[in-house]
Amino acid sequence: MQGTILGFVVGSLIGAVATSVGSYVVLRRRRRAAVKRLRLAFETELAALSYVEELSEAGRYEELAASVEDPVVYETNAGEIGRLTDEEVEALVTFYTDLYWLHEQQDIEDKKERVDGIADEWRRALEAVRAAAD
């Protein structure tokens, strides 16, 4: 009788451990896949914002300020950005903060240095996301 009870207890423990390990593995895979999709989304949005660098290098500051649109991926996933590496977070937040600043500018001609810095931050953010994806 005691052997049967012990068998049930051991069997239950083995089943619980196996279920826990299996659940952990599945959860970890889902989190990795979510981070991978998040990086891909940011990389895609940053690639679409390549005009920031192009217009800045061409000195077309007024056109650049007028063409900035709200960053959909950043706004949608701001709560998830903490899943990325520290380097990615810093680069993305810095770039998007500057992008919001640029979007709100009316007279940009006297702020050319800062606009050129935004192009550098764009490049840094894109490189950080791509480096972490490797």
Side-chain angles (χ1 to χ4, degrees), residues 36-131:
K36 186 176 181 178
R37 286 190 304 272
L38 184 61
R39 279 192 183 110
L40 180 60
F42 273 115
E43 183 178 359
T44 302
E45 182 169 76
L46 288 166
L49 290 168
S50 65
Y51 65 85
V52 170
E53 181 181 49
E54 294 164 9
L55 293 176
S56 174
E57 287 179 354
R60 296 164 47 193
Y61 300 109
E62 295 292 334
E63 185 179 342
L64 174 57
S67 63
V68 174
E69 297 179 14
D70 292 334
V72 176
V73 172
Y74 182 75
E75 290 180 355
T76 304
N77 295 292
E80 301 297 318
I81 200 169
R83 293 178 175 222
L84 302 174
T85 67
D86 291 343
E87 293 80 18
E88 288 173 291
V89 172
E90 181 184 348
L92 289 169
V93 170
T94 300
F95 169 69
Y96 283 109
T97 300
D98 287 348
L99 191 68
Y100 282 117
W101 171 84
L102 180 62
H103 182 60
E104 296 172 3
Q105 294 305 303
Q106 300 298 323
D107 182 22
I108 201 75
E109 284 302 316
D110 60 336
K111 301 171 182 96
K112 292 177 184 178
E113 278 187 34
R114 179 145 185 209
V115 176
D116 290 337
I118 294 172
D120 293 338
E121 293 301 331
W122 168 81
R123 195 175 311 102
R124 184 173 154 240
L126 186 58
E127 288 170 2
V129 171
R130 285 181 174 164

